Amino acid sequence: MSKSSNYVSRQSDEHGVIAWSDEENQIWHELITRQLSCIEGKACDEFMAGLERLQLPTDRIPQLEEVSKVLRETTGWECAEVPALISFDRFFELLANKRFPVATFIRSREEFDYLQEPDIFHEIFGHCAMLTNPAFAEFTHAYGKIGLAASKEDRVYLARLYWFTIEFGLLQTQDGLRIYGGGILSSPGETIYALESEKPERKPFDAIDVLRTPYRIDIMQPIYFTISQINDLFDIAHLDMMSLVQQAKQLGLHAPKFPPKQKQAS
């Protein structure tokens, strides 16, 4: 949801079908096969159960309706075809109506390992499996409703809640740390870094702490927040989040644990 995009989303036809090229399907194939082996023993059980339900093809990009059909049957969600970039108003409105925005483009080979904008691989592989889980689905729905009613200023705080849960959340399990955040699950580098590196700090989830923690989108995360079970998201969904935002505002932001972004010479 930044100001400009290098990508143009594909439009579906009157039947809701997108005609992907052979090269685009090949990129999907390479991304999903690489990531499926990378997340083994690292993704949470709920994510793996969601993948099992979705039965995503590995030889081609799935059509959104294929994914939506499973989501509707499990949690009442569906995918919404959106352009590469949408406004915050549109983003929150879609989530509030149980429609998960999926930008219908796939990354180029030049940005195969990392791109700043969420593409169809990130959205479907990273997030849609978790949307089959009732706790994750309810949390995402509640987040959309809160964000839709929030002011522009408060949405900046709410963005941190999304970032440290839906995108970069970790789960403490009996078998050790596991991943449920789609930003990690769709990135091979971050999958390994989040669980195995000694560099990042890993802290138990605390809503006010999360709302006060700055982040950068273009680096490996210096800090992750952990929940102890996926059903904790039910409890977080029912917190009085806007009063917590006001408390976070009064307390002020934590000092960032990363250097400022270098301005590019024009």
Side-chain angles (χ1 to χ4, degrees):
M1 288 183 292
S2 55
K3 294 284 189 287
S4 63
S5 173
N6 299 323
Y7 291 96
V8 178
S9 291
R10 293 299 199 100
Q11 301 289 302
S12 60
D13 65 16
E14 66 272 21
H15 306 294
V17 174
I18 294 172
W20 297 99
S21 70
D22 289 346
E23 170 67 358
E24 287 166 327
N25 283 324
Q26 180 62 25
I27 287 173
W28 171 275
H29 166 70
E30 290 172 30
L31 285 168
I32 194 169
T33 50
R34 174 176 73 169
Q35 202 55 18
L36 282 169
S37 71
C38 189
I39 62 169
E40 218 170 296
K42 297 182 177 71
C44 68
D45 290 346
E46 292 82 1
F47 179 81
M48 298 310 291
L51 277 187
E52 185 65 29
R53 286 194 184 98
L54 288 178
Q55 292 291 308
L56 297 174
T58 57
D59 60 335
R60 62 175 175 82
I61 300 172
Q63 297 296 332
L64 296 195
E65 179 53 32
E66 294 175 87
V67 179
S68 290
K69 184 175 185 295
V70 179
L71 294 182
R72 280 194 289 267
E73 288 166 0
T74 50
T75 56
W77 277 76
E78 60 185 27
C79 298
E81 179 183 332
V82 298
L85 300 166
I86 58 174
S87 69
F88 279 109
D89 280 341
R90 180 77 176 129
F91 174 72
F92 286 118
E93 180 194 351
L94 286 168
L95 296 185
N97 287 290
K98 292 191 171 182
R99 302 185 70 220
F100 196 78
V102 178
T104 48
F105 71 90
I106 196 160
R107 68 195 68 182
S108 65
R109 289 214 173 269
E110 291 71 42
E111 294 188 287
F112 192 80
D113 289 328
Y114 173 78
L115 77 165
Q116 289 192 24
E117 305 163 46
D119 69 346
I120 195 166
F121 177 74
H122 168 84
E123 303 290 28
I124 287 184
F125 184 87
H127 291 303
C128 287
M130 285 306 299
L131 278 171
T132 65
N133 177 269
F136 187 93
E138 181 167 329
F139 174 73
T140 310
H141 184 215
Y143 179 83
K145 289 190 287 186
I146 293 163
L148 192 58
S151 68
K152 190 175 176 181
E153 186 188 9
D154 290 344
R155 285 175 177 177
V156 177
Y157 283 81
L158 290 174
R160 298 185 190 111
L161 177 64
Y162 191 91
W163 187 260
F164 289 115
T165 53
I166 291 170
E167 291 292 358
F168 287 91
L170 294 178
L171 188 63
Q172 290 283 8
T173 75
Q174 290 180 327
D175 301 318
L177 216 48
R178 294 291 182 269
I179 305 162
Y180 75 91
I184 312 176
L185 287 165
S186 59
S187 161
E190 195 115 20
T191 294
I192 294 161
Y193 176 84
L195 293 196
E196 297 178 5
S197 172
E198 292 176 6
K199 287 181 185 172
E201 190 179 346
R202 301 171 186 88
K203 300 172 74 173
F205 181 92
D206 174 86
I208 291 182
D209 198 9
V210 165
L211 295 168
R212 297 176 63 203
T213 301
Y215 65 86
R216 257 177 66 179
I217 67 168
D218 59 337
I219 57 173
M220 293 288 187
Q221 297 306 301
I223 185 164
Y224 299 97
F225 288 90
T226 66
I227 56 176
S228 55
Q229 54 179 348
I230 209 69
N231 284 344
D232 288 354
L233 291 175
F234 276 130
D235 301 329
I236 298 167
H238 297 126
L239 292 172
D240 182 355
M241 196 53 69
M242 291 321 296
S243 91
L244 295 173
V245 165
Q246 300 316 313
Q247 288 179 58
K249 275 186 186 173
Q250 288 169 351
L251 291 164
L253 294 184
H254 294 308
K257 292 181 180 291
F258 49 79
K261 194 170 180 177
Q262 297 295 316
K263 286 201 170 96
Q264 291 179 332
S266 53

